[in-house]
Amino acid sequence: MSRYDRAITVFSPDGHLFQVEYAMNAVKRGTTVVGIKGENVVVLGVEKKATPKLQDTRTLRKIVQIDDHIFLAFAGLSADARVLINRARVECQSYRLTFDERPSVMYITKWIASKQQSYTQSGGVRPYGITTFIVGFEDGEPKLYETDPAGTYSEWVANSCGRHGEPVKKFLVQKYPGVKEDEDDKDESSSETDEEEEDVEPLDEDGAVKLAVQALLDVVESPKNIEIAIVHQEQPLLYLEQEEIEAIVTQIEAEQAAEKEQ
């Protein structure tokens, strides 16, 4: 392996690019991020790390604004994310100057994915060690996209990444209305997948927020380590206050206690 992980442009005999896989491992060491698409809203939830008392927590945001209608959450290396986010913001402004209209969520998703992919096949560089969730609205419909260090992108109804990404993703499969529990384990054709997507029931805002909090609750030390942001159409990003999150946690715990009594 050591002969093939020194250069980003060299494949191993079995077809691996080890530097890209190492970048994905960096994502798995990052804090957990959850994205959930509702009926007319997108909810982003992140696991907050404990910070020194003298540190300004506003400088450690995992949920940021790309344009006035596009937002991004990430897991992985914060320094890499800062560079890629700044480049995406410049691209949004450049698009506006060129076409006299704002870019779509899909366009920025493709641009970020292309930028990540370009850093997997050039000498003297390394892949971006981040996975991003890019959210916003297109034609009145909420959108949730994911890009990864390899440069691939995809659209999701609900997704998770980071340190506890896999167990949280399994939890979302179990809890999201209309999604079958063993969906990820089946080798389905595209037509069958399309049929199942039609059965997915979009959550309302309260349901999406509750599911995001519930998904993060099992992987954080306390509710104080949960940050929730809500994306509405043509509205500023809305962060939930800590009191609101704790109220939702209390409701979830009460429901779980009632289920155990039954």
Side-chain angles (χ1 to χ4, degrees):
M1 180 186 299
S2 60
R3 293 185 301 165
Y4 301 102
D5 64 356
R6 296 176 184 175
I8 188 62
T9 57
V10 179
F11 282 95
S12 68
D14 55 352
H16 288 274
L17 283 174
F18 287 113
Q19 289 296 328
V20 175
E21 295 182 8
Y22 295 160
M24 291 182 176
N25 288 337
V27 172
K28 293 179 182 178
R29 295 172 62 91
T31 54
T32 308
V33 178
V34 174
I36 298 174
K37 185 170 69 174
E39 186 174 6
N40 54 4
V41 70
V42 183
V43 177
L44 295 171
V46 298
E47 174 190 2
K48 292 193 300 183
K49 282 187 175 180
T51 56
K53 293 183 179 179
L54 297 179
Q55 189 174 25
D56 188 347
T57 57
R58 292 175 299 178
T59 61
L60 298 174
R61 291 289 191 187
K62 291 284 187 177
I63 303 173
V64 298
Q65 186 169 359
I66 299 296
D67 204 350
D68 57 11
H69 65 298
I70 302 175
F71 303 89
L72 179 149
F74 69 90
L77 302 179
S78 297
D80 287 14
R82 184 186 69 247
V83 172
L84 191 57
I85 287 167
N86 287 339
R87 290 182 174 181
R89 286 170 172 166
V90 172
E91 178 62 23
C92 287
Q93 298 308 308
S94 176
Y95 188 97
R96 286 174 178 267
L97 288 172
T98 303
F99 300 103
D100 197 24
E101 63 181 15
R102 64 188 190 182
S104 66
V105 184
M106 171 62 85
Y107 173 82
I108 290 301
T109 298
K110 289 182 177 180
W111 187 90
I112 290 176
S114 296
K115 185 64 65 174
Q116 288 178 290
Q117 193 279 333
S118 68
Y119 276 68
T120 68
Q121 59 177 141
S122 302
V125 298
R126 65 164 176 79
Y128 285 97
I130 62 169
T131 287
T132 68
F133 287 170
I134 304 164
V135 305
F137 283 78
E138 290 181 354
D139 299 325
E141 294 185 6
K143 298 293 182 179
L144 168 63
Y145 296 100
E146 178 197 41
T147 72
D148 64 21
T152 58
Y153 69 90
S154 52
E155 185 176 359
W156 294 77
V157 174
N159 198 6
S160 175
C161 64
R163 184 185 307 136
H164 303 286
E166 288 305 316
V168 171
K169 193 179 297 185
K170 291 180 180 178
F171 174 84
L172 294 174
V173 170
Q174 294 172 356
K175 297 296 183 179
Y176 201 98
V179 178
K180 294 185 178 180
E181 189 169 337
D182 59 347
E183 181 179 356
D184 289 341
D185 298 330
K186 292 182 178 180
D187 183 15
E188 300 169 331
S189 64
S190 59
S191 61
E192 292 173 338
T193 303
D194 292 339
E195 290 177 359
E196 286 197 358
E197 287 178 353
E198 295 178 356
D199 297 331
V200 175
E201 303 171 10
L203 293 166
D204 59 15
E205 180 175 335
D206 291 340
V209 171
K210 182 179 177 182
L211 182 58
V213 173
Q214 194 172 3
L216 289 171
L217 196 57
D218 291 336
V219 301
V220 299
E221 295 180 358
S222 73
K224 294 182 179 179
N225 297 109
I226 297 177
E227 184 175 50
I228 299 293
I230 305 174
V231 180
H232 296 98
Q233 186 174 13
E234 304 297 343
Q235 293 184 26
L237 187 66
L238 174 63
Y239 284 95
L240 290 188
E241 298 292 338
Q242 189 60 46
E243 293 77 11
E244 296 177 281
I245 295 175
E246 292 179 355
I248 296 172
V249 171
T250 301
Q251 178 186 356
I252 292 171
E253 291 176 344
E255 293 176 355
Q256 291 176 344
E259 289 178 0
K260 289 181 179 179
E261 291 179 357
Q262 295 177 354

